[in-house]
């Protein structure tokens, strides 16, 4: 089953490449064209068979594609939308994979104007700490959530088409408002990335850095796995969702301040209370996830 | 090869139990006696074959054992040492597995007095987020570091015996001063645990907690894996290494303050600079670890 005939990918890295592999695996027989400001990545994507065609100017492909997918760092959204607008056909659907939504939606209104209804904002909750075409895998979205944050101007039919494409990649479709999306991900994704980068940077700049890295073990490795992610991508996400991120960072700083006071005043029971509440909450969360995964496998 | 005839474990949870399994796997044929204030855990350890004998009063076993290993939460170190001192033979070696060393060493001097030379402070850099006898596995220490922080009163021969026992469990022996040990682990272990617990607690107390946990994904899961650890154990570690932990927490708060200012003032380049420094440092670290692991496998 093929919803689209011709997909144009802006960005042929981990996400764009994995979408291509997942669609091919599901039996997609249409054309996939790729464009990327990084020529090396573009050539590599062609070599790996992630795209059928690599173009450096997207003008022709924009006018021919029936789906345009933005999979470049979120800060480029406005520029890309502005550049493609003159060549869009009336029925062309545009969607994205940005980790932030309020800024992407604002850029869509600004750059697409009367054509904004063609833009279906979306975000696959899937990733790896590796980047680029070589990191693409066909299972990246399998069993993972794909959040659509629809606009009032979108038609149900267009939303359904985008949802169908992601369902072909084994993703599970969810809907949120752009604001709820950005609130939630500021806390469970953007803030942990900032915290993880901050800790590794602190260790790296420490006068005792070599000894510290020598003894860092599996706990440190897992805690800092997300600090292996693309700095450019996460700079863009941090800046794009700055308001929510600052809000949650301030809550976290208050929480650390509270723990600091407990430590300083030998309030062992207070420290244990926070640790125990966290351990129990995480256990409940993991139990729920695992039950849901089991349900998915048997349904 | 068996260095000891009779090992007495104070604490038959993850670490004590895994040591027992690893020793048995390596061919240890001596006796292993267990004592634990948790009677259920003690019975379970006996059922699982982690110990040959479960005792509730350790008096007799203390006078018979040639190695006593403390594998209970670090805050209990002083109490246990005081209780065993009257029954110690002259040649009995005592060692521990505590995640902090300065406080353990202080407790040893205080409680053992003239017998302090029998105490070899040690710390295996290995763990799981699971606890108790059922979490014990025979490979827990394989390829992992075992740090000994010797006292001036220790004899080389006794240190060698403890080292030999851990080498039988495939651990790699390292030496640090208690102070260096506590500095290093405050940063790469104790602080990440506190940060991870703090984040999960913050999410769990949020008015939007359910929605946040629903969308938390693999990045959050890895970042918070260590928040699944025993709250009591980590309360004890946090309090025991309070001075160093507060020092590193303050450095981290300063780092977050810097990032906060960069975000608030739209300094995207500053944010990227920190993220990129962290990503590069982590990549270098992982590359070094993997090279060392490869070396271990081929040597």
């Amino acid at each position: 089953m093929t919803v689209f005939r011709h997909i144009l990918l802006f960005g042929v890295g981990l996400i764009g490449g994995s979408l291509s592999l997942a669609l091919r695996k599901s039996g997609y027989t249409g054309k996939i064209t790729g464009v990327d400001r990084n020529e090396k990545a573009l050539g590599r994507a062609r070599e790996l068979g992630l795209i059928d065609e690599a173009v450096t100017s997207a003008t022709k492909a924009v006018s021919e594609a029936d789906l345009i997918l933005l999979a470049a760092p979120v800060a480029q959204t406005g520029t890309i939308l502005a550049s493609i607008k003159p060549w869009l056909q009336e029925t062309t659907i545009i969607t994205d994979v940005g980790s932030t939504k309020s800024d992407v939606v604002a850029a869509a209104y600004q750059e697409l104007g009367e054509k904004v209804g063609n833009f279906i904002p979306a975000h696959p909750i899937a990733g790896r700490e590796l980047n680029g075409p070589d990191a693409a895998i066909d299972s990246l979205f399998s069993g993972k959530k794909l959040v659509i944050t629809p606009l009032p101007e979108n038609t149900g039919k267009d939303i359904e088409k985008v949802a169908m494409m992601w369902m072909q990649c084994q993703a599970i479709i969810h809907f949120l408002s752009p604001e709820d999306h950005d609130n939630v991900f500021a806390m469970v994704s953007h803030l942990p990335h900032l915290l993880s980068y901050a800790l590794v940077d602190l260790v790296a700049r420490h006068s005792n850095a070599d000894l510290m890295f020598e003894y860092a073990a599996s706990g440190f490795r897992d805690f800092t796995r997300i600090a292996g992610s693309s700095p450019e991508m996460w700079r863009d996400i941090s800046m794009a969702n700055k308001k929510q991120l600052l809000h949650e960072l301030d809550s976290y700083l208050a929480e650390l301040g509270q723990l600091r006071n407990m430590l300083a005043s030998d309030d062992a029971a207070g420290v244990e209370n926070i640790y125990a509440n966290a351990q129990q909450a995480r256990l409940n969360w993991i139990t729920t996830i695992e039950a849901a995964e089991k349900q998915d496998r048997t349904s």
Side-chain angles (χ1 to χ4, degrees), chain A residues 5-60:
Chain A
R5 288 174 297 98
H6 185 177
I7 296 173
L8 172 58
L9 299 177
F10 273 85
V12 294
L14 169 65
I15 302 292
S18 294
L19 175 71
S20 170
L21 290 175
L23 282 175
R24 290 296 185 208
K25 196 183 173 195
S26 80
Y28 174 72
T29 54
K31 185 170 175 182
I32 302 180
T33 299
V35 59
D36 203 301
R37 62 186 175 147
N38 179 340
E39 281 182 34
K40 214 171 137 187
L42 192 61
R44 187 68 186 137
R46 184 73 192 80
E47 267 173 41
L48 291 166
L50 303 178
I51 51 176
D52 302 311
E53 179 188 48
V55 296
T56 43
S57 161
T59 312
K60 187 163 162 280

Side-chain angles (χ1 to χ4, degrees), chain A residues 10 68 70 76-88 94-96 103-112 116 119:
Chain A
F10 273 85
I68 297 174
L70 311 190
Q76 297 171 40
T77 306
T79 311
I80 296 174
L81 290 176
S83 76
I84 65 175
K85 192 189 171 198
W87 318 98
L88 286 175
I94 313 158
T95 188
D96 80 315
D103 67 309
V104 163
V105 166
Y109 278 106
Q110 185 174 329
E111 302 299 342
L112 294 178
V116 77
F119 183 75

Side-chain angles (χ1 to χ4, degrees), chain A residues 22-183:
Chain A
L23 282 175
R24 290 296 185 208
K25 196 183 173 195
S26 80
Y28 174 72
T29 54
K31 185 170 175 182
I32 302 180
T33 299
V35 59
D36 203 301
R37 62 186 175 147
N38 179 340
E39 281 182 34
K40 214 171 137 187
L42 192 61
R44 187 68 186 137
R46 184 73 192 80
E47 267 173 41
L48 291 166
L50 303 178
I51 51 176
D52 302 311
E53 179 188 48
V55 296
T56 43
S57 161
T59 312
K60 187 163 162 280
V62 168
S63 66
E64 289 174 356
D66 50 358
L67 181 80
I68 297 174
L69 186 124
L70 311 190
V74 282
Q76 297 171 40
T77 306
T79 311
I80 296 174
L81 290 176
S83 76
I84 65 175
K85 192 189 171 198
W87 318 98
L88 286 175
Q89 302 295 309
E90 200 159 322
T91 58
T92 313
I93 297 175
I94 313 158
T95 188
D96 80 315
V97 297
S99 298
T100 54
K101 293 271 74 75
S102 302
D103 67 309
V104 163
V105 166
Y109 278 106
Q110 185 174 329
E111 302 299 342
L112 294 178
E114 76 290 355
K115 293 185 181 173
V116 77
N118 293 33
F119 183 75
I120 319 280
H123 174 206
I125 314 307
R128 305 177 70 191
E129 72 274 33
L130 302 168
N131 311 302
D134 284 285
I137 50 175
D138 64 16
S139 60
L140 190 67
F141 310 110
S142 181
K144 301 295 167 58
K145 293 184 180 69
L146 182 283
V147 181
I148 298 177
T149 64
L151 307 180
E153 292 83 353
N154 294 149
T155 67
K157 205 175 149 194
D158 283 356
I159 293 172
E160 202 184 317
K161 282 187 182 175
V162 170
M164 291 285 278
M165 178 185 73
W166 284 105
M167 286 164 73
Q168 279 186 256
C169 303
Q170 311 297 326
I172 299 157
I173 309 300
H174 285 243
F175 293 93
L176 286 174
S177 71
E179 297 71 30
D180 279 350
H181 173 282
D182 287 357
N183 286 352

